[in-house]
């Protein structure tokens, strides 16, 4: 239905939904700030709990910088 959501996964196809993540990245986002980030660009899976969504962009940019 939405270009940023498919098969129970959040997508980053335009690169703006999750700043710092690649356009190929996908996410599972749960209640309470639980994220599973599947990042093909770095061959990585990142799991984080209790992340305030207001800080998710900065967190993802920091992780991408550390992995890159």
């Amino acid at each position: 239905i939405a270009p940023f959501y498919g098969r129970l996964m959040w997508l980053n196809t335009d690169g703006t939904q999750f700043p710092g993540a690649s356009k190929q990245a996908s996410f599972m986002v749960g209640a309470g700030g639980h994220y599973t980030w599947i990042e093909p660009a770095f061959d990585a899976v990142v799991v984080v709990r209790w992340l305030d969504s207001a800080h998710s962009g900065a967190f993802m940019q920091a992780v991408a910088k550390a992995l890159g």
Side-chain angles (χ1 to χ4, degrees), residues 8-68:
L8 302 176
M9 301 285 287
W10 293 95
L11 309 173
N12 198 41
T13 53
D14 63 0
T16 61
Q17 197 69 16
F18 297 95
S22 73
K23 292 182 179 182
Q24 296 78 33
S26 57
F27 295 82
M28 291 176 274
V29 181
H34 295 58
Y35 290 78
T36 301
W37 171 11
I38 301 166
E39 182 54 83
F42 301 118
D43 195 27
V45 175
V46 179
V47 178
V48 63
R49 298 178 64 194
W50 301 304
L51 178 63
D52 183 341
S53 62
H55 302 286
S56 64
F59 170 79
M60 289 174 195
Q61 289 174 345
V63 170
K65 183 177 179 183
L67 291 173

